[in-house]
Amino acid sequence: MADVVFDRVNKVYDNGFHAVRDLSLDIADGEFLVLVGPSGCGKSTALRMVAGLEDVSSGEMRIGGRVVNTVPSKDRDIAMVFQSYALYPHLTVAENIGYGLRIRKTPKDEMDRLVREAAAKLDLTEYLERRPKQLSGGQRQRVAMGRAIVRRPQVFLMDEPLSNLDAKLRGQMRTEIAQIQRDLGTTTIYVTHDQVEAMTMGDRIALMKRGVLQQVAEPQHMYENPDNIFVAGFIGSPPMNMATARLDRDGDRYSAQLGQQTLQLAPEALAAHARLADYVGRDIVIGIRSEDMEDSRVKGGEGLKASANLVEALGSELMVYFTLDARPAETEDTKLLEKEQGDTAARSLVTDGVRWVASFAPRAHTRPGEQIQVTVDTSRMHFFDPETSQAIRS
């Protein structure tokens, strides 16, 4: 086992493209860290530098306290699982799992024992004599995992290993990989563009954007305390609702002016975001999660007036998409999120007001086309500087 340390690591290609910028990140011994971000953000490049498949342009890469910048990949004691299974079609499952051991000239009895132990962990024992073409996608991915596990490396590296699986198998394999990692206790770096995978699998998440690390935190902490607009919009499904509002103050009471409507802020919001006082009379970007809104007929109190456009009945909740007369949040980060998330982001970035989504209790019985009032739990709101995109806190 070993820790992995990026110490001001950079990767600049010969054409001048700066893929990873001053990345400093400590991954503890035995930790499951997920590197997440949109395509081209540098996460796979960072992983490949750990593996020795990409050279480090500057800075230090350390594994188990040893600087490995110039250490060949084969001497780093790491195992990698790729998006493609990379199995040998002419070999059996047992031979694929044990291939690395055979190359190392491991004694046959020892190799057979290790292969069977790995197969048992992955529920592959009954398939050991089959060939890859006789297996499902999920079983092939387990074989690729087995080939990594059997080597007992210091570090597992996984580069979008579930991308080729259907949604049901992805959900199943997420659980299995997380459980295997906990059982083995091997330091693991897992790369994905899927924030649901990141939220459900990692001990911590490291979110990147255009080669720059945005935030590192436990999944729930990042969800509840995003450092900037990009983190807030990328982490969470559906994405955080956002809009531009003017912050007003009347004595000790603060309010956010959304178009022609006023949203009174709870005292708890002010206590948690003391720097809001510096933004009185100015525009800010406000954010609210879908679960922090409810139909006023259920929650009580006055709410924001809106028009329900679409209602998705999911049994335990109603996902209500509604149009709000307010200015969209238009920053570099929101534009990047819109490009990355396509139609999903468009729900909160439209030209005529903003389109938000709320999670209502099913007893609300909200219907498409209705005029509704939405109660917002302003104690759970997020506030961002529209110029810097940074969270406004204490």
Side-chain angles (χ1 to χ4, degrees), residues 182-220:
R182 281 194 292 271
D183 291 345
L184 297 174
T186 305
T187 308
T188 301
I189 306 175
Y190 185 105
V191 162
T192 181
H193 67 278
D194 185 338
Q195 57 88 25
V196 175
E197 282 185 21
M199 287 289 293
T200 55
M201 296 179 72
D203 296 323
R204 287 191 302 159
I205 300 173
L207 176 58
M208 297 183 69
K209 180 190 78 171
R210 293 177 175 170
V212 178
L213 185 64
Q214 300 295 300
Q215 187 173 357
V216 186
E218 294 179 359
Q220 195 62 32

Side-chain angles (χ1 to χ4, degrees), residues 187-361:
T187 308
T188 301
I189 306 175
Y190 185 105
V191 162
T192 181
H193 67 278
D194 185 338
Q195 57 88 25
V196 175
E197 282 185 21
M199 287 289 293
T200 55
M201 296 179 72
D203 296 323
R204 287 191 302 159
I205 300 173
L207 176 58
M208 297 183 69
K209 180 190 78 171
R210 293 177 175 170
V212 178
L213 185 64
Q214 300 295 300
Q215 187 173 357
V216 186
E218 294 179 359
Q220 195 62 32
H221 180 86
M222 186 177 290
Y223 181 81
E224 295 179 352
N225 300 278
D227 280 352
N228 57 48
I229 288 175
F230 183 79
V231 176
F234 193 90
I235 297 296
S237 181
M240 182 182 289
N241 300 292
M242 297 184 196
T244 298
R246 191 185 72 246
L247 184 67
D248 292 331
R249 180 178 180 178
D250 182 8
D252 293 333
R253 296 171 63 87
Y254 286 71
S255 61
Q257 192 72 26
L258 284 162
Q260 300 301 311
Q261 302 191 70
T262 300
L263 193 60
Q264 297 293 335
L265 303 186
E268 296 90 335
L270 304 177
H273 305 85
R275 288 185 52 237
L276 277 174
D278 299 335
Y279 289 81
V280 172
R282 296 166 55 187
D283 283 347
I284 58 173
V285 173
I286 64 168
I288 189 73
R289 297 285 185 191
S290 60
E291 66 269 22
D292 295 323
M293 293 184 285
E294 182 56 271
D295 191 313
S296 295
R297 292 172 294 188
V298 173
K299 186 75 171 178
E302 294 185 2
L304 295 172
K305 294 179 176 63
S307 175
N309 305 120
L310 173 68
V311 178
E312 296 176 343
L314 304 180
S316 61
E317 61 183 349
L318 298 178
M319 300 306 294
V320 180
Y321 299 90
F322 60 92
T323 302
L324 188 66
D325 180 19
R327 288 176 291 156
E330 295 179 323
T331 70
E332 179 185 342
D333 277 355
T334 57
K335 291 173 183 176
L336 181 59
L337 288 165
E338 183 179 22
K339 180 180 179 181
E340 170 65 20
Q341 297 170 336
D343 290 341
T344 301
R347 292 171 176 171
S348 55
L349 295 170
V350 295
T351 55
D352 185 16
V354 294
R355 195 174 184 205
W356 282 7
V357 56
S359 173
F360 285 1

Side-chain angles (χ1 to χ4, degrees), residues 80-93:
M80 197 159 183
V81 180
F82 296 95
Q83 178 177 343
S84 61
Y85 314 125
L87 303 179
Y88 295 103
H90 63 289
L91 300 181
T92 65
V93 167

Side-chain angles (χ1 to χ4, degrees), residues 45-64:
T45 302
L47 190 80
R48 289 172 63 83
M49 284 192 285
V50 179
L53 302 177
E54 295 280 3
D55 294 332
V56 175
S57 299
S58 65
E60 276 190 358
M61 175 69 61
R62 298 192 291 272
I63 299 176

Side-chain angles (χ1 to χ4, degrees), residues 131-168:
R131 285 179 167 75
K133 68 179 181 180
Q134 298 172 289
L135 304 177
S136 68
Q139 289 165 343
R140 292 179 194 179
Q141 192 56 270
R142 286 194 190 96
V143 176
M145 286 284 297
R147 188 171 52 194
I149 288 170
V150 78
R151 291 177 51 194
R152 297 185 176 178
Q154 290 191 94
V155 181
F156 287 137
L157 304 176
M158 302 187 187
D159 192 2
E160 307 218 35
L162 307 183
S163 302
N164 292 331
L165 304 181
D166 62 38
K168 183 177 180 181

